[in-house]
Amino acid sequence: MNAQVKPFTLRLDTRKGKVDMTHGSGGRAMAQLIQELFLKHFDNELLRQANDQASFDVHAGRMVMSVDGHVISPLFFPGGDIGSLAVHGTINDVAMSGARPTYLSAGFILEEGFPLADLERIVISMSRAANEAGVPVVTGDTKVVEKGKGDGVFITTTGIGVVPQGIDISGDRAVPGDLIIVSGSMGDHGVTIMSSRENLEFETSITSDSAALHTLVEQMVAVAPDIHSLRDPTRGGLATTLNELAQQSQVGMQLSEAEIPVKPAVASACELLGLDPLYVANEGKLICICSEADAERLLPVMRAHPLGGESAVIGRVIEDPHHFVQMETLFGGSRVVDWLTGEQLPRIC
């Protein structure tokens, strides 16, 4: 986003106009798209410098960086859209290290013929999400592909942040005896996307839980700086994420199905479609693994936060040379909660 030029004679038609190949050519049309759409809505001091990169001071502490591509279908859904999702997803990936997210970059792959009105709607949503989170988009890139070689718009966001001194949160730090906490109900995002797709539409009041979790994490770290592991259970849901953590930490996990929060509407939708809510994606929830003493400190803080009101202890880390995730079912039985195999719900984030 390196175009800051004098005003154009004709304004960009964001009501009826469409993306064309000249918007990715590097010429005047691209400069106009950047100036009258991206710079207009993402406006901030660093982006306004209009360089090919953003230059900023580096804070003391460990820096973290995360990148995430977003190819969701449909682009707009109850509770969000690809723009807000691209901001929330990357902020959360940075925050799961205990870091304070500071800046974002955004790369857009646009398909020829994509309505400029929809693009502006996405950019406004993205700008609003970034402003609300206090994490600005400070650099970016735009490319255009021929009609039929994309699907409207794909967005890649990169985020950086700073881990405060004394914080060491990682997926390989879970130890037997730790408790497993989730910050809320499982499966809301995936079921929302399903319900929004033309061929899977059904009645439900569920909306996506897409949200930036960094303020929740900041408050958690303040009361329990020795949290062992944090992870947001996105693709593959709770089940796959816990298997990842079990493998990283070389431990097993024992869950209680009765303690795992799942909204009745989500459970009903999953039953109708033959899905297990434990494998359905979330975009505004986190998993926390910590000592029992820290859990006592964390739960009141998490439940007092707007994004953690349904926080619950759902299980415990155990010794297991096979690193299985097991669950006591509602009927008193036991089953292995294995890795997701195949693809339950493609293009959900």
Side-chain angles (χ1 to χ4, degrees), residues 56-98:
F56 45 80
D57 294 331
V58 178
H59 302 276
R62 286 185 292 123
M63 302 289 291
V64 297
M65 180 172 68
S66 181
V67 62
D68 204 354
H70 303 274
V71 297
I72 193 168
S73 175
L75 298 174
F76 303 96
F77 50 85
D81 54 62
I82 190 172
S84 57
L85 185 70
V87 170
H88 295 156
T90 296
I91 285 177
N92 290 346
D93 285 344
V94 171
M96 291 307 114
S97 67

Side-chain angles (χ1 to χ4, degrees), residues 20-324:
D20 62 47
M21 296 305 295
T22 64
H23 289 129
S25 66
R28 191 168 182 78
M30 180 174 169
Q32 184 176 25
L33 180 73
I34 292 171
Q35 180 162 307
E36 295 188 5
L37 199 152
F38 292 111
L39 284 175
K40 173 183 174 183
H41 295 295
F42 287 141
D43 185 46
N44 59 67
E45 183 180 353
L46 293 178
L47 196 62
R48 217 176 298 131
Q49 293 173 356
N51 293 317
D52 278 341
Q53 68 294 123
S55 176
F56 45 80
D57 294 331
V58 178
H59 302 276
R62 286 185 292 123
M63 302 289 291
V64 297
M65 180 172 68
S66 181
V67 62
D68 204 354
H70 303 274
V71 297
I72 193 168
S73 175
L75 298 174
F76 303 96
F77 50 85
D81 54 62
I82 190 172
S84 57
L85 185 70
V87 170
H88 295 156
T90 296
I91 285 177
N92 290 346
D93 285 344
V94 171
M96 291 307 114
S97 67
R100 185 178 300 111
T102 53
Y103 299 113
L104 293 170
S105 74
F108 292 81
I109 306 294
L110 306 175
E111 183 182 12
E112 181 184 17
F114 188 69
L116 287 173
D118 285 347
L119 179 59
E120 184 169 43
R121 182 180 167 191
I122 289 167
V123 172
I124 290 173
S125 171
M126 202 169 174
S127 172
R128 184 182 300 123
N131 288 335
E132 289 175 352
V135 187
V137 176
V138 296
T139 188
D141 184 47
T142 304
K143 296 290 189 301
V144 178
V145 297
E146 295 92 339
K147 191 174 183 60
K149 295 187 175 179
D151 196 5
V153 56
F154 300 143
I155 302 175
T156 297
T157 43
T158 298
I160 64 170
V162 179
V163 181
Q165 290 187 350
I167 304 299
D168 183 17
I169 297 173
S170 176
D172 62 359
R173 292 197 62 221
V175 296
D178 281 354
L179 297 186
I180 305 166
I181 302 172
V182 293
S183 63
S185 59
M186 296 289 105
D188 295 12
H189 177 72
V191 167
T192 300
I193 299 306
M194 264 194 304
S195 69
S196 299
R197 288 180 180 169
E198 187 176 353
N199 59 340
L200 290 174
E201 196 165 349
F202 53 87
E203 292 291 332
T204 177
S205 58
I206 296 295
T207 61
S208 171
D209 59 352
S210 178
L213 295 166
H214 60 308
T215 59
L216 173 60
V217 171
E218 186 174 358
Q219 292 183 19
M220 292 170 64
V221 168
V223 298
D226 192 34
I227 290 172
H228 293 165
S229 303
L230 289 174
R231 190 70 56 88
D232 52 340
T234 54
R235 284 180 301 171
L238 176 69
T240 299
T241 306
L242 287 178
N243 273 283
E244 291 173 357
L245 293 171
Q247 284 288 337
Q248 276 187 264
S249 293
Q250 303 287 285
V251 296
M253 296 187 184
Q254 179 66 51
L255 309 179
S256 170
E257 186 174 15
E259 304 302 327
I260 299 174
V262 179
K263 290 186 172 71
V266 171
S268 297
C270 287
E271 185 175 357
L272 180 68
L273 295 165
L275 300 175
D276 186 336
L278 300 188
Y279 292 89
V280 178
N282 315 272
E283 289 292 342
K285 304 290 165 44
L286 63 79
I287 299 168
C288 171
I289 297 179
C290 62
S291 70
E292 197 163 341
D294 277 345
E296 292 181 5
R297 286 186 279 270
L298 284 167
L299 282 171
V301 171
M302 295 176 70
R303 288 169 178 163
H305 191 281
L307 298 177
E310 298 176 287
S311 296
V313 176
I314 63 167
R316 183 180 292 274
V317 178
I318 60 175
E319 292 187 11
D320 182 351
H322 303 293
H323 319 313
F324 286 153

